[in-house]
Amino acid sequence: MTKGVFITIEGPDGSGKTSVMELLKIYLYEKNIEYIATREPGGINISEQIRNVILDKENIAMDSRTEALLYAASRRQHMAERVIPALKNGKMVICDRFIDSSLAYQGYARGIGIDEVMNINEFAIDGYMPDLTLYLDIEPEIGLERICKNKQREVNRLDLEKLDFHKKVREGYYILLEKYPNRIKKINANKPIQIVFDEITKILSKKIGIDS
Ligand code: TMP
């Protein structure tokens, strides 16, 4: 059985990943492609429990390395229980955030170091890097404004970080774009969602061979 394709969606907070995920699900369904859609941190029970600890607004004492390790632990369980079995079954996996979030947020923005955070994550992912990563690019000011306007979204501990932190997150993603030019594709997310999604379908057609 051929291994399924692993696609991750990345971007700063408020970049529109959730809307893209919803359109992608409809698109893949219409193309008769077998897939699972999931998210990080979370996706399965144990990882959702870890998510609650990481994002709890009360946990202001959390050390940066503890945070990085918890994201990696949540990732490991999600890989073992959900992502790896689906890929082995030949299913496409689309995941809202993955290792690049840890590299940009903990590695770069928190200042732990991209290589250091990569090291602990290698243990968690065991060689399963994404085949394609769609990076939704947005100015942090616009992203944060979108979050504030979205009343359904619960504000979490990382949302409460200052603008400077969110600017560093974006800088971190830019470093990753240079480091992994074949895997990560940048999309301008400061456009109407249908235009953003059209660009995504073009990339899917070129990289994965899905007819647009
Ligand atoms: P979400 O709001 O996209 O669900 O993600 C929750 C927060 O967790 C978001 O601010 C990004 C952050 N995050 C990290 O800092 N490192 C990670 O490895 C992941 C997956 C998310």
Side-chain angles (χ1 to χ4, degrees):
M1 167 115 15
T2 41
K3 180 185 156 282
V5 178
F6 186 17
I7 299 176
T8 57
I9 321 279
E10 292 280 353
D13 298 276
S15 55
K17 290 180 291 82
T18 311
S19 309
V20 164
M21 283 291 282
E22 288 312 310
L23 289 177
L24 202 47
K25 286 194 245 175
I26 298 167
Y27 183 78
L28 294 174
Y29 174 77
E30 285 173 351
K31 300 271 174 201
N32 275 324
I33 294 171
E34 267 201 278
Y35 72 90
I36 63 154
T38 187
R39 73 160 180 182
E40 278 202 0
I44 44 131
N45 195 287
I46 294 174
S47 302
E48 289 289 339
Q49 290 179 51
I50 300 173
R51 178 188 173 97
N52 290 338
V53 174
I54 303 173
L55 297 180
D56 187 340
K57 279 182 287 186
E58 301 295 312
N59 286 339
I60 44 169
M62 191 178 294
D63 171 73
S64 302
R65 290 185 184 203
T66 307
E67 184 182 275
L69 288 164
L70 285 174
Y71 276 115
S74 151
R75 179 161 302 128
R76 173 66 206 156
Q77 188 63 30
H78 182 234
M79 288 305 282
E81 241 188 272
R82 189 125 205 252
V83 176
I84 296 175
L87 292 173
K88 281 189 173 161
N89 275 324
K91 286 192 185 154
M92 180 179 279
V93 174
I94 51 170
C95 189
D96 181 345
R97 294 196 183 281
F98 189 60
I99 193 164
D100 299 301
S101 288
S102 284
L103 302 178
Y105 282 77
Q106 283 69 51
Y108 190 76
R110 290 271 193 240
I112 299 175
I114 289 180
D115 290 344
E116 285 76 0
V117 173
M118 187 69 195
N119 284 343
I120 59 161
N121 274 279
E122 270 167 357
F123 185 61
I125 66 170
D126 204 14
Y128 282 87
M129 278 298 275
D131 299 295
L132 171 67
T133 297
L134 302 165
Y135 165 66
L136 304 180
D137 188 46
I138 192 106
E139 289 82 2
E141 291 87 344
I142 301 175
L144 293 176
E145 198 184 308
R146 283 183 178 175
I147 288 176
C148 291
K149 280 189 190 151
N150 183 354
K151 299 284 175 240
Q152 280 149 350
R153 189 180 186 283
E154 203 187 318
V155 174
N156 67 47
R157 190 171 59 82
L158 273 85
D159 295 336
L160 298 175
E161 288 290 340
K162 301 223 158 45
L163 181 60
D164 269 2
F165 175 81
H166 293 281
K167 283 187 174 163
K168 289 206 96 178
V169 168
R170 191 180 188 215
E171 279 171 35
Y173 276 122
Y174 273 58
I175 293 171
L176 298 176
L177 279 164
E178 293 215 345
K179 205 173 158 88
Y180 304 105
N182 292 329
R183 174 175 64 83
I184 311 181
K185 298 295 164 204
K186 177 170 151 232
I187 295 134
N188 179 355
N190 191 15
K191 287 189 176 169
I193 183 69
Q194 203 50 55
I195 293 178
V196 171
F197 196 67
D198 283 349
E199 203 176 322
I200 288 175
T201 56
K202 280 191 197 122
I203 294 170
L204 289 176
S205 152
K206 209 166 151 200
K207 286 276 295 178
I208 314 287
I210 305 175
D211 299 334
S212 46

